[in-house]
Amino acid sequence: MLTTEEIQKINHEISQVPSPKNACIEALKIVQQNDGWVSDERLQDVAAYVGMSTAELDSVATFYNLIFRQPVGRHVILLCDSISCYVMGYEDLRDHLYNKLSIQYGQTTADGRFTLLPNCCLGTCDCAPALMIDNDLYRNLTVEQLDEILNKYT
Amino acid sequence: MEKPLTQHIVPGRQPLSLKEYEQVGGYQSVRKVFKEMTPAEVQTLVKDSNLRGRGGAGFNTGLKWSFVPMGPDAATPKYLVANADEMEPGTFKDRLLLEGNPHQLIEGMIVAAYAIQASISYVFLRWAYKLAAQEITKAIHEAYEAGYLGKNILGSGFDLEMHLHTGVGRYMCGEETALLNALEGKRANPRAKPPFPQVSGLFGKPTIVNNVETLCNLPHIVNKGAEWFKKLGLTEDAGTKLYGVSGRVKTPGCWELPMGITIRELLEDYAGGMQDGYLFKGLLPGGASTDFLVAEHLDLPMDYGAIQAAGSRLGTGTMIILDDQTCPVGFVHNLQHFFAQESCGFCTPCREGLPWVEKILLAIDKGEGKPEHLLTLDFHTKYLGPGNTFCALAPGAMEPLQSALKYFREDFERHIHEHHCPWSKAWQPSI
Ligand SMILES: Cc1cc2nc3c(=O)[nH]c(=O)nc-3n(C[C@H](O)[C@H](O)[C@H](O)COP(=O)(O)O)c2cc1C
Ligand code: SF4
Ligand code: FES
């Protein structure tokens, strides 16, 4: 079920485009903003609302890296694994996160606190290595700084 | 040295508000084009300035606009899109302009929209640029309040809507026709050309997609003229350029400098040379999809012609340095992993070829490579090269590979003969 508030927001997006379908990505974003991810059920609701088949909408949803079709933790860590961060040693950050959180890429900590995902270039290559947690960007990172940063997120 | 694009950007300080921006001459170009110039005159001015698109391909901007149907019979609405996707690894220049001076971008977009008579515009911004999203939202709001956007701008009779659109993460969204699909709520697969977007783009209407840096140049060209702009460059390519350096240099960064400055100056005078204990081995001059250059190229000017003559591309002008302690195979493997993951999967050579390339590089990197693997890689650089795939992603991916096979072939061979990575740290791909 879409909430009244979600429907309002989606209707606004639909009003900006020629056909309701054209607003489907925006609608997925609205749902994800509330739930953190897009479940099958919610995907079906959005598809019905914008007039698409579930399969058609799923093919759009799964195309994009940042529409999550699986539950994620309360905080999502996007670790840059692209070239400048590779040269500057992001792998040490990855290994530290693996150990510290006891998870690997694509997994969520047992307490539901963090999901760790690799992400391509965050566009801050002169300050590599870099990662993002939710909306916060961290640059010029060293392994030593990681623990303190993680502590900020409960 | 003139730095029109970054003159009002102070690191660590908030971007100029609309009022402050106006005080330093902001939005004068908008007033000027409305009062003194026809759209055709703006197009001619930009063509004459020799501004080449800063998104990577380097096509003359005014010429690109000239393919948009004009006049009362042209389809409406027409669209203008600022390409602020910037997902190419090693590229971080537009971020500076987006976060540092959003009003300059909006001003440039109004000029561009006027030149092609577009009435709806979008900033297509990647998801990760949160600060930029905040600043642009604020700036668009201020511009509407002040009457630079909306209906009958400054009493000119010209209307322009502007929307911020945040993407949901996919390198393909930067490719201009794929970007249009993404804006339409579809998978970001590229579209067949022709028809070109200038004629049939967003929602089937005439559309121009321009890079952020390209658009930010426009107010200055309008205010100061084509000749002034041409003289900014040191070589035949006009203007200034945002150049960047990343990797094991002393002071990595991004600087606005005259077009045509040499690689050596960038590397030594601006990036401070290599970090202690690291030696220069090679560089990608303009992002992940450009060919390696090596020591013999250090005195080349960083402009379109010279870099192309040396077998590479200026691309985005943001160079990535390979040092002697980073394995070249691991370096290329990392790049190919990116391209394989980001392939949209629409055409077979790219969908099948890139994972194959990645697997071979993984094998070589781990010391499990065979001599015939190098032939298979050579083969791929040909069959995934220009003309064999639907868009430029796969050919772009082959650029660093083919040049690495040329300049660092011995390093590939050593991995194969010695059955291990001489740097002893094979790169591990993520999921
Ligand atoms: C796979 C791929 C990704 C691209 N990504 C970007 C990008 O993020 N930003 C950009 O401005 N151009 C990008 N381009 C180039 C655009 O297709 C297009 O040429 C450019 O936005 C045009 O703007 P310009 O004429 O101002 O350079 C990309 C091209 C390809 C093939
Ligand atoms: S070359 Fe790759 S990215 Fe481009 S259309 Fe083909 S599959 Fe998609
Ligand atoms: S490569 Fe990591 S931020 Fe660009």
Side-chain angles (χ1 to χ4, degrees):
Chain A
M1 275 267 290
L2 297 170
T3 66
T4 324
E5 197 201 336
E6 283 169 345
I7 287 177
Q8 245 172 25
K9 284 188 184 164
I10 295 172
N11 283 346
H12 172 74
E13 297 300 334
I14 289 176
S15 73
Q16 310 275 315
V17 286
S19 142
K21 273 184 175 191
N22 298 129
C24 72
I25 297 176
E26 295 308 302
L28 291 171
K29 280 201 249 176
I30 289 164
V31 166
Q32 181 162 300
Q33 215 163 35
N34 283 338
D35 297 6
W37 67 297
V38 181
S39 66
D40 287 349
E41 215 173 53
R42 300 274 274 161
L43 185 100
Q44 267 173 20
D45 295 339
V46 172
Y49 197 77
V50 301
M52 291 167 89
S53 72
T54 316
E56 194 183 357
L57 183 60
D58 201 25
S59 84
V60 175
T62 52
F63 186 86
Y64 292 99
N65 299 332
L66 296 165
I67 296 290
F68 303 135
R69 291 286 283 115
Q70 281 177 33
V72 290
R74 291 194 292 286
H75 308 286
V76 176
I77 305 177
L78 299 175
L79 177 64
C80 175
D81 68 349
S82 289
I83 191 64
S84 307
C85 290
Y86 162 63
V87 169
M88 300 304 288
Y90 88 86
E91 290 158 303
D92 295 339
L93 302 179
R94 176 197 60 200
D95 294 345
H96 186 79
L97 289 169
Y98 278 6
N99 285 334
K100 175 91 188 166
L101 303 175
S102 307
I103 51 172
Q104 303 223 332
Y105 281 142
Q107 298 177 340
T108 301
T109 52
D111 58 3
R113 197 162 143 230
F114 291 111
T115 297
L116 177 64
L117 297 172
N119 196 78
C120 50
C121 180
L122 290 166
T124 185
C125 326
D126 52 338
C127 304
L131 61 72
M132 267 181 93
I133 304 183
D134 304 337
N135 291 336
D136 310 324
L137 178 66
Y138 297 94
R139 327 182 192 213
N140 288 318
L141 273 172
T142 60
V143 168
E144 290 71 42
Q145 294 165 338
L146 273 181
D147 292 353
E148 201 180 316
I149 291 171
L150 293 179
N151 284 339
K152 291 199 225 167
Y153 299 86
T154 50
Chain B
M1 197 189 323
E2 276 187 277
K3 297 183 179 180
L5 297 173
T6 57
Q7 58 187 328
H8 303 303
I9 298 178
V10 183
R13 266 239 314 267
Q14 293 238 317
L16 298 181
S17 67
L18 181 98
K19 273 229 162 58
E20 292 164 332
Y21 186 61
E22 284 176 326
Q23 275 163 12
V24 295
Y27 289 101
Q28 284 305 323
S29 70
V30 170
R31 293 175 191 277
K32 184 166 172 186
V33 293
F34 287 161
K35 226 186 271 157
E36 298 172 19
M37 299 175 80
T38 62
E41 283 169 344
V42 180
Q43 289 194 16
T44 307
L45 170 71
V46 172
K47 203 188 299 174
D48 291 345
S49 77
N50 198 20
L51 170 65
R52 298 176 66 168
R54 305 297 198 230
F59 196 77
N60 180 296
T61 303
L63 192 61
K64 176 166 162 175
W65 292 352
S66 71
F67 304 126
V68 175
M70 299 295 285
D73 298 335
T76 53
K78 292 189 238 178
Y79 294 95
L80 173 82
V81 184
N83 190 342
D85 196 54
E86 193 158 75
M87 273 177 75
E88 174 120 334
T91 297
F92 52 98
K93 65 182 183 74
D94 294 337
R95 174 171 216 143
L96 184 74
L97 298 171
L98 292 160
E99 290 179 354
N101 196 354
H103 277 297
Q104 179 174 251
L105 172 65
I106 295 172
E107 183 178 353
M109 288 176 71
I110 300 170
V111 170
Y114 177 75
I116 60 162
Q117 294 288 291
S119 57
I120 306 180
S121 60
Y122 290 93
V123 178
F124 191 102
L125 183 74
R126 66 176 293 193
W127 168 303
Y129 284 9
K130 304 285 182 186
L131 177 60
Q134 209 178 305
E135 298 299 347
I136 291 167
T137 304
K138 195 161 91 194
I140 291 179
H141 180 75
E142 285 180 331
Y144 265 108
E145 294 269 286
Y148 291 116
L149 291 173
K151 293 250 177 279
N152 190 19
I153 301 173
L154 305 176
S156 63
F158 180 69
D159 305 336
L160 182 66
E161 277 177 38
M162 190 175 290
H163 306 281
L164 172 65
H165 180 99
T166 29
V168 267
R170 206 58 206 250
Y171 175 52
M172 278 310 296
C173 295
E175 198 280 336
E176 63 182 350
T177 59
L179 182 152
L180 299 177
N181 277 335
L183 263 179
E184 289 183 9
K186 299 174 181 156
R187 292 166 71 100
N189 292 328
R191 295 177 179 176
K193 292 187 272 193
F196 287 89
Q198 287 97 319
V199 177
S200 175
L202 190 62
F203 303 120
K205 305 291 187 192
T207 304
I208 282 287
V209 178
N210 274 138
N211 169 261
V212 168
E213 186 185 347
T214 310
L215 291 162
C216 287
N217 274 301
L218 298 172
H220 309 291
I221 294 173
V222 168
N223 288 334
K224 297 193 172 151
E227 286 312 309
W228 165 83
F229 189 73
K230 279 197 217 163
K231 284 199 196 110
L232 288 178
L234 300 173
T235 57
E236 63 183 29
D237 283 328
T240 58
K241 177 81 195 75
L242 285 182
Y243 291 107
V245 182
S246 65
R248 292 277 175 197
V249 289
K250 285 207 180 87
T251 51
C254 182
W255 310 274
E256 181 182 5
L257 295 165
M259 180 68 92
I261 191 156
T262 68
I263 299 176
R264 190 184 297 282
E265 281 172 277
L266 272 168
L267 202 56
E268 290 175 4
D269 299 349
Y270 293 91
M274 298 302 289
Q275 284 181 9
D276 295 335
Y278 292 87
L279 295 175
F280 171 84
K281 185 160 170 123
L283 64 89
L284 303 180
S289 61
T290 58
D291 291 78
F292 276 100
L293 296 176
V294 290
E296 69 189 72
H297 301 118
L298 286 177
D299 291 308
L300 285 179
M302 277 283 276
D303 71 6
Y304 294 96
I307 299 297
Q308 192 175 357
S312 186
R313 284 191 312 120
L314 181 66
T316 60
T318 38
M319 51 172 84
I320 310 157
I321 310 298
L322 170 67
D323 58 80
D324 65 330
Q325 295 182 38
T326 300
C327 171
V329 176
F331 190 104
V332 177
H333 183 194
N334 175 285
L335 294 173
Q336 299 306 320
H337 172 73
F338 164 79
F339 288 114
Q341 282 222 322
E342 291 297 320
S343 162
C344 80
F346 179 76
C347 61
T348 315
C350 175
R351 181 182 63 244
E352 302 287 322
L354 289 177
W356 190 355
V357 165
E358 196 198 337
K359 272 195 199 115
I360 292 176
L361 289 168
L362 174 67
I364 297 177
D365 210 359
K366 286 202 311 200
E368 294 163 5
K370 304 194 176 80
E372 59 268 28
H373 278 157
L374 292 183
L375 296 176
T376 314
L377 289 178
D378 286 335
F379 162 98
H380 276 94
T381 61
K382 287 198 193 73
Y383 290 101
L384 293 183
N388 294 318
T389 58
F390 197 70
C391 87
L393 181 136
M398 291 304 104
E399 291 183 25
L401 177 63
Q402 71 187 10
S403 49
L405 288 167
K406 175 168 148 197
Y407 293 118
F408 312 125
R409 202 166 190 96
E410 276 174 23
D411 294 318
F412 284 78
E413 285 166 353
R414 262 186 80 194
H415 277 79
I416 295 171
H417 294 142
E418 297 177 10
H419 301 293
H420 79 115
C421 173
W423 283 262
S424 77
K425 210 179 104 189
W427 183 66
Q428 293 171 36
S430 43
I431 47 171

